[in-house]
C-alpha cells in the first residue's frame, strides 16, 4: 500500500465508519496545520459521500501560547461569538464533526504558568459543545494523524512510518476489510458492556501501587461503548481507536487515592506521576511531579469539575496496550488501560435522560461540568473488582485479564 493509498483509506475510515457522514451534511473538521494532508483527504471523501460543505479549521498552538503569555487574564476564557454561531449551526442542522489530533509539540506550553494555561479555554464553547453531544445532534469522531513531532515524542526520533504502523494496527486500518474488523470489534465491546449492565454493580474498587479507590455507580446507569447514535438514527464511532467500556459514576461516591499509571498530555503540558485523593466524591488533593498546577486549575473551573464523570475498563487485549507504547495522546493512551475522568459525564449512560430535569439528573448523582479530563489508572498490577449491592466482590480484571463471563 502506498502512502497515498493509506491516507485515502484512513480518511475513508474516518468519514464512513467514524463520523459516518451522510448526504447533505455540513462537516466541520478541526485540525492542526501539521494534520493538513489528512484534513484534505477527509474533505475529499466527505464530499464523495454527499457532504454539502466541509469547513476545515486549523488551530495554531503557537498563537495559543502567545495568548496565554500576553492576553489580559480576564479574557482567557472568552469565546468569540462567531465560534458559538458555528457550533450552534452545526447542532441545529445535525451536522458532522471530525477532530484530528496528534500533537507535534506536546510540551510547548510546559514552561508557562499552569494557572493561566488552565484558564485559557473557551468555556462557553465547551458548554455548547457538550450540550450538542449530549442531545445527540452531531455525528462526530476523533482520529489521530501521525507526524514528525508526534513521532519524535513517542520514539525519540522522527520515525513517522513506525508511528503510522502503530496507528494502523490500533485503528484496524491494516486489516483486509477494516469496516468489517470494526464491526466485529464493536460487537465484542457491546457484549462486554451488556454483561456489566446485567450485573448492576453498586461500585468498583481499584487497588494497586499507590491506588486504593472506590467509585460508586449510579443505579440503572448503563455501560456504553464508543458506538453512538444521533437523534436521526445515524450510528457513528466517536473514538478511533477504542477499546473501552465506560459509564458515568455517582459523582458523590468516590473515595480514596489513585495514582496515574501513564503520563498525561494535556494543554501543551505533560502531567507526570499524577496522584489524586478523593473525599465525598471531590478531589481534595492533587500531586504530580509535573503539571500539578494545571490540574488544580482545571478542577477549579466549576463546582463539579473536581468530581468524576467517567470510569472506563480496558483489558490487556487492547491493541493500543499491546503496542507497549506511550503515545502521549489521550485518544490512544486512554484506550491502552483503565481510566477515569474528572468533570462532566455522558448522558448516553443515563436511561431516559431526555425526560429528566437537571435537578433529577443531579439527584441521581450525574456530574455536569464543562471540564472532562481522562487519565490512566490501570495496568497489570492494578486489580479491579465490581462490588455487588450486598457487598460481595466480583473480580473484573486481574493482571490485565478480563475475568467476568
Amino acid at each position: 500500500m502506498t502512502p497515498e493509498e493509506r491516507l485515502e483509506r484512513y480518511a475513508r475510515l474516518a468519514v464512513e465508519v467514524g463520523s459516518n457522514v451522510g448526504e447533505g451534511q455540513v462537516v466541520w473538521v478541526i485540525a492542526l496545520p501539521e494534520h493538513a494532508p489528512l484534513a484534505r483527504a477527509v474533505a475529499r471523501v466527505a464530499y464523495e459521500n454527499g457532504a454539502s460543505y466541509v469547513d476545515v479549521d486549523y488551530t495554531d498552538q503557537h498563537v495559543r501560547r502567545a495568548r496565554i503569555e500576553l492576553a489580559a487574564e480576564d479574557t482567557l476564557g472568552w469565546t468569540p461569538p462567531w465560534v458559538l454561531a458555528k457550533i450552534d449551526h452545526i447542532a441545529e442542522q445535525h451536522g458532522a464533526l471530525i477532530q484530528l489530533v496528534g500533537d507535534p509539540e506536546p510540551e510547548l506550553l510546559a514552561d508557562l504558568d499552569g494557572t493561566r494555561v488552565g484558564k485559557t479555554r473557551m468555556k462557553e464553547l465547551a458548554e455548547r459543545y457538550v450540550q450538542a453531544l449530549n442531545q445527540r445532534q452531531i455525528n462526530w469522531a476523533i482520529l489521530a494523524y501521525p507526524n514528525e513531532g508526534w513521532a519524535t515524542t513517542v520514539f525519540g526520533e522522527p520515525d513517522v512510518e513506525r508511528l503510522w504502523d502503530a496507528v494502523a494496527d490500533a485503528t484496524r486500518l491494516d486489516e483486509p476489510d477494516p469496516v468489517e474488523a470494526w464491526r466485529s470489534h464493536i460487537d465484542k465491546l457491546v457484549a462486554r458492556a451488556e454483561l456489566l449492565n446485567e450485573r448492576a454493580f453498586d461500585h468498583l474498587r481499584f487497588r494497586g501501587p499507590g491506588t486504593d479507590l472506590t467509585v460508586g455507580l449510579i443505579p440503572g446507569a448503563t455501560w456504553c461503548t464508543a458506538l453512538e447514535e444521533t437523534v436521526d438514527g445515524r450510528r457513528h464511532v466517536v473514538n478511533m481507536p477504542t477499546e473501552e467500556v465506560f459509564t458515568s459514576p455517582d459523582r458523590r461516591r468516590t473515595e480514596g487515592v489513585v495514582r496515574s499509571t501513564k503520563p498525561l498530555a494535556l494543554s501543551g503540558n505533560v502531567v507526570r506521576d499524577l496522584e489524586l485523593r478523593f473525599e465525598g466524591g471531590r478531589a481534595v488533593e492533587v500531586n504530580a511531579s509535573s503539571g500539578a498546577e494545571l490540574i488544580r486549575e482545571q478542577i477549579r473551573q466549576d463546582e463539579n469539575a473536581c468530581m468524576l464523570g467517567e470510569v472506563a475498563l480496558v483489558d490487556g487485549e487492547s491493541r493500543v496496550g499491546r503496542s507497549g507504547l506511550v503515545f502521549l495522546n489521550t485518544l490512544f493512551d486512554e484506550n491502552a488501560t483503565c481510566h477515569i475522568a474528572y468533570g462532566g459525564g455522558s448522558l448516553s449512560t443515563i436511561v431516559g435522560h431526555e425526560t429528566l430535569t437537571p435537578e433529577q439528573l443531579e439527584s441521581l448523582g450525574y456530574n455536569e461540568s464543562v471540564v472532562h479530563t481522562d487519565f490512566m489508572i490501570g495496568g497489570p498490577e492494578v486489580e479491579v473488582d465490581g462490588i455487588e449491592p450486598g457487598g460481595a466482590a466480583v473480580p473484573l480484571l486481574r493482571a490485565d485479564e478480563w475475568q467476568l463471563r
Side-chain angles (χ1 to χ4, degrees):
M1 188 188 312
T2 68
E4 292 76 18
E5 291 170 335
R6 179 178 60 195
L7 187 66
E8 191 272 341
R9 196 180 199 194
Y10 195 36
R12 198 163 296 283
L13 196 64
V15 171
E16 297 178 355
V17 178
S19 187
N20 190 14
V21 173
E23 188 76 29
Q25 282 196 299
V26 174
V27 182
W28 185 9
V29 180
I30 301 173
L32 296 177
E34 290 82 359
H35 305 154
L38 181 56
R40 295 166 187 153
V42 162
R44 185 174 185 84
V45 175
Y47 280 124
E48 286 178 7
N49 279 265
S52 62
Y53 187 75
V54 180
D55 185 32
V56 179
D57 265 349
Y58 292 109
T59 60
D60 191 317
Q61 293 292 78
H62 287 266
V63 174
R64 184 165 183 264
R65 179 185 171 94
R67 182 185 186 194
I68 295 167
E69 285 186 280
L70 302 171
E73 187 157 343
D74 61 357
T75 70
L76 295 179
W78 181 67
T79 303
W82 56 89
V83 177
L84 295 177
K86 179 179 288 189
I87 187 64
D88 288 346
H89 180 80
I90 294 286
E92 289 165 5
Q93 297 300 312
H94 295 187
L97 171 66
I98 297 174
Q99 182 177 358
L100 306 182
V101 297
D103 196 337
E105 299 175 274
E107 296 190 86
L108 176 66
L109 311 179
D111 62 324
L112 301 183
D113 178 70
T115 299
R116 285 182 64 87
V117 174
K119 289 180 177 179
T120 307
R121 59 192 308 272
M122 298 182 189
K123 291 183 68 174
E124 200 170 355
L125 173 62
E127 291 169 358
R128 303 277 184 95
Y129 178 72
V130 169
Q131 181 182 33
L133 298 192
N134 278 332
Q135 293 179 352
R136 299 187 293 125
Q137 294 173 296
I138 299 173
N139 42 298
W140 58 285
I142 304 176
L143 295 92
Y145 178 67
N147 55 77
E148 287 191 3
W150 185 23
T152 301
T153 298
V154 177
F155 302 121
E157 58 182 351
D159 192 342
V160 179
E161 280 304 306
R162 186 179 171 193
L163 184 56
W164 259 116
D165 288 343
V167 169
D169 180 66
T171 59
R172 291 163 170 78
L173 187 66
D174 57 356
E175 294 282 347
D177 185 346
V179 174
E180 180 56 36
W182 269 97
R183 185 174 294 114
S184 175
H185 177 56
I186 291 294
D187 285 347
K188 175 185 173 183
L189 293 176
V190 167
R192 180 168 292 178
E194 289 174 348
L195 189 58
L196 287 163
N197 290 333
E198 290 171 7
R199 299 304 294 262
F201 293 113
D202 175 75
H203 63 276
L204 302 183
R205 185 174 183 183
F206 296 84
R207 288 177 294 179
T211 292
D212 190 349
L213 186 75
T214 60
V215 179
L217 303 180
I218 297 174
T222 60
W223 288 85
C224 297
T225 71
L227 177 65
E228 297 192 3
E229 186 173 322
T230 68
V231 291
D232 304 313
R234 185 172 299 280
R235 289 155 68 90
H236 55 112
V237 179
V238 302
N239 287 345
M240 304 183 83
T242 184
E243 302 283 352
E244 67 178 301
V245 291
F246 69 92
T247 192
S248 295
D250 185 333
R251 71 181 189 282
R252 303 161 297 193
R253 296 202 296 133
T254 306
E255 301 285 346
V257 294
V258 62
R259 178 182 296 171
S260 180
T261 52
K262 289 181 180 291
L264 170 65
L266 179 66
S267 299
N269 287 256
V270 176
V271 182
R272 295 181 171 88
D273 307 310
L274 176 62
E275 296 181 3
L276 297 181
R277 183 168 62 86
F278 288 86
E279 290 182 0
R282 297 182 176 275
V284 296
E285 184 177 345
V286 176
N287 292 295
S289 61
S290 65
E293 194 51 48
L294 172 58
I295 301 293
R296 293 182 187 122
E297 180 56 37
Q298 275 207 333
I299 67 175
R300 289 193 292 257
Q301 287 291 298
D302 58 50
E303 184 181 359
N304 290 350
C306 63
M307 307 170 89
L308 293 190
E310 179 186 340
V311 58
L313 302 179
V314 179
D315 71 359
E317 292 186 12
S318 159
R319 288 194 178 198
V320 182
R322 289 202 318 246
S323 75
L325 299 174
V326 175
F327 287 89
L328 286 178
N329 177 281
T330 300
L331 173 64
F332 278 75
D333 290 332
E334 73 165 4
N335 283 296
T337 191
C338 297
H339 55 274
I340 55 178
Y342 56 82
S346 172
L347 277 178
S348 62
T349 65
I350 308 298
V351 178
H353 67 84
E354 300 91 345
T355 64
L356 299 179
T357 65
E359 292 76 19
Q360 289 172 317
L361 286 167
E362 183 180 10
S363 69
L364 286 175
Y366 178 77
N367 200 34
E368 186 170 334
S369 170
V370 298
V371 172
H372 183 95
T373 297
D374 300 272
F375 64 97
M376 292 59 70
I377 66 169
E381 296 182 301
V382 179
E383 296 183 348
V384 185
D385 292 326
I387 312 300
E388 296 179 333
V394 178
L396 299 181
L397 284 165
R398 292 290 187 271
D400 260 356
E401 291 188 8
W402 186 254
Q403 304 293 307
L404 192 62
R405 299 288 185 265

